[in-house]
């Protein structure tokens, strides 16, 4: 593919004031055990439908992030986010509780990074505080995209497990003299379709788009993987990640040792999720817990977060279309 | 409702280089007859499914806008847009044909104005040219949101008719000394839910959010309806528009004579669409044909375009939820 300069956006003042996470029981039983702000015992969250549970998780995560940042609702100018449900209803209905303007997004599992780039852009045109949130719920996604849960369909070994979780980030224009992680640069990726037809194998469908975005970003910014403490994709899964390593190698970039995947790192092997986690909540969970912790604790100075999304719908699969992928990227720095 | 200052965003350099429209046969047979760049004789557009026809309309409108602006594909940094289909697949699949980064949005029929605000913001953080597009197709929307077309269900007198059409706008950072219409200000609205349960009556569900956004905008900018040559909502329909006039009057704003609605003005009465047009393509069609023409021709100097969206899904209706509305607004000026 051809690369044209220069799509990378720069943000003068987009500080990460806070992050908040709410995770399901299986997610909290995984690798990041104990790192989430709230872990649910029951993924119904006291509601009568899974969809309402997902919505309540959004409401909780947004309120949690605002409170953790020592703000109140009226301080937040905009809420930017999305989810996997048709018409992004979890996000839209959660937005009813806020005084903030609402910017609804959909780019599948790339939605969280998309929200960080849009949110950072809004801070440059007049917004003061923005909350960015993205999430998913295993049980709502499974029955919308695949099969009724009660059917107990055998899962393919190349599948990922849609995680139950919502992550919310407060971006703010002013750091008040504090040393806060900053969203310094960002880029929305192109939609890339290599003709993968297997809706179970989304990692393979998304890996070419992840490669395309990473190469474009490195070229635009004249940087290399060595300039970063870590590069997180979300969510290629284990198979997709190994494909990405090969694709990047073909392009002359060695990412071994730098590359991690939010999905592949979410669950333990014994949890039988096969390729790992996925879902619009996955990178939101890992960024707002572990990655933000490493940046704030001083272990890391500069990371890349590349959100990957598979853009098909059940209808396009039924009509015989292949699966396009998209990858958006942000650079987060503590400087 | 309480209003908090100040959510309105300002854009230094967001020029409207071009607009392009493609409309279905019924739409071209309406009030704006002959004003669209391409009017289809057949809303299948040579494809074997309605969904693929909608996708092809997106591809055509984007290519048309780029060509009309004397640009080529590689000049466009970002494509910002969305549609009404689950997972916004018309937009996502059309994006495969572009070299541009993709920003997928969903805010129902407010998506077009949402794309103009996001696009204008991106021009302030490094993008040079952005294409904003939004669209809908009667036959894909009808069978996804309501009933199979073959069922021939009798329509309620409060319904609107989802229009078949896509509108695309090229926003550019530089006017090269030309007098071009500009997106000068914009605001994303709050999500407002007054408890309307009738999914056929979306105008009533959205009117309170339109009022909320207009009042917030007038307060933020210290302006009144008299400062504008026209105020277009899209798409409240006839009933929703008359509700908005009353709501604005309660707030002390007289909008009679200034207020027009993209949906209510799209079809002739004899076309039996009852409340008029709707759909993510409706305001995109009217803005990129008639409104842009009035601005470029010198008849108007300053207009407001307020995109209104009803954010429910079939699932939320089945689960007994009411219909939240959202309204985003842009000010377009020739100065």
């Amino acid at each position: 593919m051809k690369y044209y300069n220069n799509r990378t956006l720069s943000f003068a003042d987009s500080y990460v004031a806070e992050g908040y996470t709410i995770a399901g029981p299986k997610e909290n039983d995984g690798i990041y055990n104990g790192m989430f702000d709230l872990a649910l015992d029951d993924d119904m969250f006291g509601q009568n439908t899974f969809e309402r549970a997902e919505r309540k998780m959004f409401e909780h995560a947004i309120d949690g992030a605002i409170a953790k940042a020592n703000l109140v609702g009226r301080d937040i100018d905009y809420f930017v986010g999305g989810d996997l449900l048709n018409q992004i209803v979890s996000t839209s209905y959660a937005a009813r509780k806020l005084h903030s303007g609402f910017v609804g997004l959909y780019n599948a599992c790339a939605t969280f990074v998309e929200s960080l780039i849009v949110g950072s852009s809004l801070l440059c045109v007049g917004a003061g505080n923005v909350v960015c949130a993205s999430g998913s719920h295993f049980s709502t996604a499974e029955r919308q995209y695949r099969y009724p849960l009660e059917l107990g369909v055998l899962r393919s070994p190349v599948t990922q497990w849609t995680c139950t979780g919502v992550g919310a980030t407060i971006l703010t224009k002013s750091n008040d003299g504090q040393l806060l992680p900053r969203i310094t640069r960002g880029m929305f990726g192109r939609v890339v379709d290599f003709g993968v037809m297997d809706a179970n194998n989304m990692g393979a469908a998304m890996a070419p788009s992840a490669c395309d975005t990473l190469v474009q970003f490195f070229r635009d910014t004249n940087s290399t993987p060595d300039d970063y403490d870590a590069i997180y994709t979300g969510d290629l899964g284990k198979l997709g990640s190994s494909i990405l390593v090969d694709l990047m190698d073909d392009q002359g970039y060695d990412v071994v040792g730098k590359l991690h995947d939010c999905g592949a790192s979410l669950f333990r092997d014994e949890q039988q999720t096969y390729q790992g986690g996925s879902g619009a909540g996955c990178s939101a969970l890992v960024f707002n817990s572990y990655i933000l912790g490493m940046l704030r604790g001083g272990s890391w100075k500069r990371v890349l977060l590349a959100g990957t999304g598979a853009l098909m719908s059940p209808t396009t699969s039924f009509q015989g279309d292949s699966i396009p992928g998209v990858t958006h990227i942000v650079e987060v720095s503590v400087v």
Side-chain angles (χ1 to χ4, degrees), chain A:
Chain A
M1 298 181 73
K2 278 209 172 159
Y3 295 96
Y4 302 113
N5 281 333
N6 176 321
R7 280 212 313 277
T8 300
L9 308 169
S10 294
F11 307 112
D13 301 294
S14 175
Y15 297 95
V16 180
E18 261 305 342
Y20 189 96
T21 48
I22 173 171
K26 185 179 178 103
E27 289 66 25
N28 189 48
D29 192 33
I31 302 287
Y32 300 105
N33 174 269
M35 294 189 196
F36 303 118
D37 291 287
L38 183 67
L40 298 174
D41 290 326
D42 174 3
D43 68 358
M44 290 295 286
F45 204 5
Q47 302 297 297
N48 61 350
T49 69
F50 292 123
E51 287 75 16
R52 286 184 170 155
E54 182 175 330
R55 181 190 308 173
K56 188 176 170 188
M57 289 173 66
F58 266 91
E59 293 167 357
H60 177 87
I62 293 164
D63 286 349
I66 294 171
K68 244 178 119 178
N70 289 316
L71 298 170
V72 293
R74 58 181 285 181
D75 296 325
I76 307 294
D77 296 312
Y78 287 113
F79 165 36
V80 186
D83 60 88
L84 297 182
L85 293 194
N86 296 340
Q87 289 76 57
I88 59 165
V89 285
S90 302
T91 318
S92 302
Y93 278 72
R96 295 186 298 187
K97 304 261 177 177
L98 301 173
H99 290 291
S100 320
F102 174 51
V103 189
L105 307 179
Y106 182 80
N107 267 166
C109 307
T111 301
F112 179 64
V113 175
E114 185 187 14
S115 76
L116 293 179
I117 307 177
V118 171
S120 298
S121 303
L122 297 184
L123 294 177
C124 295
V125 291
N129 296 301
V130 174
V131 58
C132 303
S134 177
S136 49
H137 192 297
F138 173 78
S139 300
T140 64
E142 201 64 19
R143 65 187 187 178
Q144 177 183 283
Y145 285 101
R146 297 184 186 92
Y147 301 99
L149 294 166
E150 295 80 355
L151 208 59
V153 167
L154 200 67
R155 299 173 65 240
S156 152
V158 291
T159 51
Q160 296 167 249
W161 184 278
T162 307
C163 78
T164 299
V166 175
T169 305
I170 307 284
L171 297 181
T172 182
K173 200 175 170 58
S174 164
N175 64 340
D176 278 335
Q178 289 176 277
L179 186 65
L180 294 176
R182 285 174 56 200
I183 312 285
T184 33
R185 295 191 277 208
M187 193 186 72
F188 298 104
R190 296 191 275 200
V191 175
V192 175
D193 189 335
F194 270 34
V196 172
M197 302 293 286
D198 180 1
N200 286 312
N201 194 355
M202 293 192 288
M206 295 185 287
S209 87
C211 176
D212 186 61
T213 291
L214 283 167
V215 170
Q216 174 89 44
F217 183 83
F218 289 138
R219 290 171 60 115
D220 279 5
T221 59
N222 198 20
S223 61
T224 72
D226 289 337
D227 294 322
Y228 296 92
D229 296 304
I231 300 168
Y232 269 80
T233 50
D235 314 291
L236 296 174
K238 291 169 189 170
L239 176 59
S241 294
S242 67
I243 295 172
L244 177 59
V245 168
D246 290 347
L247 292 173
M248 290 300 288
D249 193 60
D250 288 347
Q251 297 284 328
Y253 293 97
D254 178 11
V255 292
V256 177
K258 295 284 181 185
L259 186 71
H260 310 272
D261 184 70
C262 296
S265 68
L266 190 65
F267 295 108
R268 292 176 290 106
D269 285 344
E270 309 85 88
Q271 292 182 287
Q272 299 202 347
T273 60
Y274 305 122
Q275 300 302 326
S278 69
C282 190
S283 55
L285 279 183
V286 177
F287 176 78
N288 287 292
S289 58
Y290 181 70
I291 297 175
L292 209 46
M294 293 295 275
L295 287 164
R296 292 165 132 193
S299 304
W300 291 343
K301 290 287 178 207
R302 208 145 77 122
V303 302
L304 291 177
L305 179 66
T308 56
L311 302 177
M312 79 294 181
S313 77
T315 302
T316 58
S317 294
F318 296 155
Q319 294 188 356
D321 285 311
S322 54
I323 302 173
V326 74
T327 301
H328 305 314
I329 195 166
V330 285
E331 177 189 73
V332 193
S333 315
V334 189
V335 282

